[in-house]
Amino acid sequence: MRVIRIIERDRIEAALARLDAWWSGLTRRERILVGTLSALLFAVVLVYGVVRPVQDARGEARADIRTYETLIARVRAAGTLGAQAPRRTGTPDQIVAGAAQQFGLAVTTAPEGAGVRATLVEGQYDAVVNWLAEVSRSSALGIVRAEIVRRPTPGMVAATVDFAP
């Protein structure tokens, strides 16, 4: 047995009946005027509610694309920020000692596993930090452990640093 459900739409049907009665009561001239006004209203809503916002968004997107393309071109034209330091070669002892000499530091080195332990009795703090940065930048050695101790003389430190590949 099939059950058929009938949905009554009294309000919608009543509204459509009123609209039909109203439309039927208009003269031909009034129908043309109301139809033209409705078409113009629809066109205004379409233009200012749909077309203009889409065109504005498209213009903003194009401006953003131009801005980012310009930035990318500038970054590519700038290249690297500084000259690349030449890669140091040799044993870890030679790499660490060579970089220390470059900054006027006297270090003693001792093999420590695959790496090296460098001991500095006394050196300027700025030179020590630059030395550590140079070793990391110009070789495959990285700092595993660093102990930097302030000395009584202002600006001077002692350091023990373990480097490993």
Side-chain angles (χ1 to χ4, degrees), residues 57-115:
R58 183 175 180 231
E60 289 176 12
R62 283 186 162 193
D64 289 345
I65 289 169
R66 274 193 298 270
T67 300
Y68 291 124
E69 284 178 345
T70 302
L71 288 173
I72 288 171
R74 286 182 180 176
V75 167
R76 287 183 181 155
T80 58
L81 294 177
Q84 293 290 333
R87 297 295 284 177
R88 294 182 184 272
T89 57
T91 64
D93 291 345
Q94 294 170 338
I95 293 171
V96 171
Q101 286 176 349
Q102 179 180 348
F103 292 98
L105 301 172
V107 297
T108 55
T109 59
E112 186 76 22

Side-chain angles (χ1 to χ4, degrees), residues 13 16 21-22 28 30 36 73 85 87 94 96-97 113 122 125 146 157 160-161 164:
E13 289 176 0
L16 288 175
W22 173 77
R28 184 171 191 272
E30 290 173 335
T36 305
R87 297 295 284 177
Q94 294 170 338
V96 171
E122 189 172 67
Y125 177 76
V157 295
T160 303
V161 184

